[in-house]
Amino acid sequence: MSSDTTNHKMLSIVLHSYFSGDRLRSASKKIMDKLNSESIPFEILIIDDGSTDDSFDIATELANSTEEISAYQLSKNYTTPYAKFAGLKLCRGACIVFVPDDLQRPLENVVDMYRIWEQGHKIVIGYRASRDDGFINDLFSNTYYKIMNFFSEVKFPPGGADDFLADREIIDIINEEISPRNTSPIVEVLRLGFSPILVPYDRPK
């Protein structure tokens, strides 16, 4: 699948990697197989968040052998939000989406969000319609989002959300106007004032 920068339909996939050596090959193959089967042009940016195992070596191997994959490594572990901001800076696509290395975001949800973007929507947010992370984890997560919605101008969808698909216009606004310090991409996207389309998904165990 071509990753030509002139392709106005290209989807940039940011694959966050942190001690992900045992998952990167499988995750990359599943992503490529899915997007190729859907005829979606794409690039995959593996952003290694300062891993000290063989994760970046594997990412570099994948990048050297696969045209659609690029590999980058942060100088230390800056945490997931910073890795995502790095992906926003580096991506070349007409839109961007973030995928965890364990594919806890189902690839069907990625395709659904892309199809909605094709209809002209600037921001598409996939939110967890259900979760089964254990009673304590679920309780803490649900409580966190309720507190955020109560005290903050930012309103999260039911079940919470930490990722989104964004149009190039949004990518450029974030890159030009937003500092990555003490914030996250999802918070800034929700602050922008656009009307996001919400797409539910069931998170795998």
Side-chain angles (χ1 to χ4, degrees), residues 100-152:
D101 63 353
D102 58 5
L103 300 185
Q104 284 290 293
R105 171 177 298 283
L107 296 178
E108 283 293 343
N109 180 249
V110 172
V111 172
D112 290 344
M113 290 194 292
Y114 181 85
R115 298 304 181 201
I116 292 171
W117 170 80
E118 284 186 309
Q119 299 170 18
H121 299 284
K122 300 291 186 180
I123 299 172
V124 187
I125 295 177
Y127 72 92
R128 295 184 287 274
S130 65
R131 58 193 310 145
D132 188 13
D133 297 332
F135 175 77
I136 298 299
N137 286 339
D138 291 351
L139 176 63
F140 276 113
S141 181
N142 291 332
T143 301
Y144 167 79
Y145 287 113
K146 286 180 181 178
I147 292 173
M148 286 288 291
N149 284 346
F150 184 79
F151 287 105
S152 172

Side-chain angles (χ1 to χ4, degrees), residues 121-190:
H121 299 284
K122 300 291 186 180
I123 299 172
V124 187
I125 295 177
Y127 72 92
R128 295 184 287 274
S130 65
R131 58 193 310 145
D132 188 13
D133 297 332
F135 175 77
I136 298 299
N137 286 339
D138 291 351
L139 176 63
F140 276 113
S141 181
N142 291 332
T143 301
Y144 167 79
Y145 287 113
K146 286 180 181 178
I147 292 173
M148 286 288 291
N149 284 346
F150 184 79
F151 287 105
S152 172
E153 62 188 282
V154 174
K155 302 303 178 186
F156 285 90
D162 49 21
D163 283 320
F164 55 87
L165 183 147
D167 181 77
R168 169 52 63 177
E169 178 183 352
I170 307 301
I171 298 169
D172 291 342
I173 290 173
I174 293 175
N175 287 336
E176 294 167 9
E177 305 293 338
I178 304 300
S179 168
R181 292 177 62 85
N182 302 318
T183 188
S184 68
I186 184 64
V187 168
E188 297 306 325
V189 159
L190 290 171

Side-chain angles (χ1 to χ4, degrees), residues 2-193:
S2 172
S3 58
D4 187 347
T5 56
T6 63
N7 192 330
H8 67 284
K9 301 279 283 183
M10 186 170 75
L11 171 63
S12 292
I13 301 262
V14 174
L15 183 59
H16 180 252
S17 171
Y18 185 60
F19 287 88
S20 305
D22 60 341
R23 298 184 293 276
L24 283 178
R25 291 189 181 92
S26 174
S28 298
K29 184 178 187 306
K30 288 177 180 177
I31 292 169
M32 291 189 292
D33 288 348
K34 182 63 176 178
L35 296 183
N36 280 324
S37 72
E38 295 284 344
S39 298
I40 297 175
F42 66 91
E43 65 170 353
I44 298 174
L45 293 84
I46 301 175
I47 307 294
D48 185 89
D49 195 9
S51 302
T52 56
D53 64 350
D54 62 350
S55 296
F56 187 61
D57 292 335
I58 293 172
T60 301
E61 174 191 314
L62 289 167
N64 288 338
S65 62
T66 309
E67 178 185 0
E68 295 88 351
I69 296 178
S70 301
Y72 304 90
Q73 186 177 44
L74 305 185
S75 59
K76 63 178 183 178
N77 176 229
Y78 283 97
T79 72
T80 304
Y82 278 86
K84 291 177 179 178
F85 277 116
L88 285 158
K89 287 285 188 183
L90 293 165
C91 74
R92 300 176 296 137
C95 57
I96 190 171
V97 72
F98 304 90
V99 175
D101 63 353
D102 58 5
L103 300 185
Q104 284 290 293
R105 171 177 298 283
L107 296 178
E108 283 293 343
N109 180 249
V110 172
V111 172
D112 290 344
M113 290 194 292
Y114 181 85
R115 298 304 181 201
I116 292 171
W117 170 80
E118 284 186 309
Q119 299 170 18
H121 299 284
K122 300 291 186 180
I123 299 172
V124 187
I125 295 177
Y127 72 92
R128 295 184 287 274
S130 65
R131 58 193 310 145
D132 188 13
D133 297 332
F135 175 77
I136 298 299
N137 286 339
D138 291 351
L139 176 63
F140 276 113
S141 181
N142 291 332
T143 301
Y144 167 79
Y145 287 113
K146 286 180 181 178
I147 292 173
M148 286 288 291
N149 284 346
F150 184 79
F151 287 105
S152 172
E153 62 188 282
V154 174
K155 302 303 178 186
F156 285 90
D162 49 21
D163 283 320
F164 55 87
L165 183 147
D167 181 77
R168 169 52 63 177
E169 178 183 352
I170 307 301
I171 298 169
D172 291 342
I173 290 173
I174 293 175
N175 287 336
E176 294 167 9
E177 305 293 338
I178 304 300
S179 168
R181 292 177 62 85
N182 302 318
T183 188
S184 68
I186 184 64
V187 168
E188 297 306 325
V189 159
L190 290 171
R191 277 188 181 140
L192 285 178

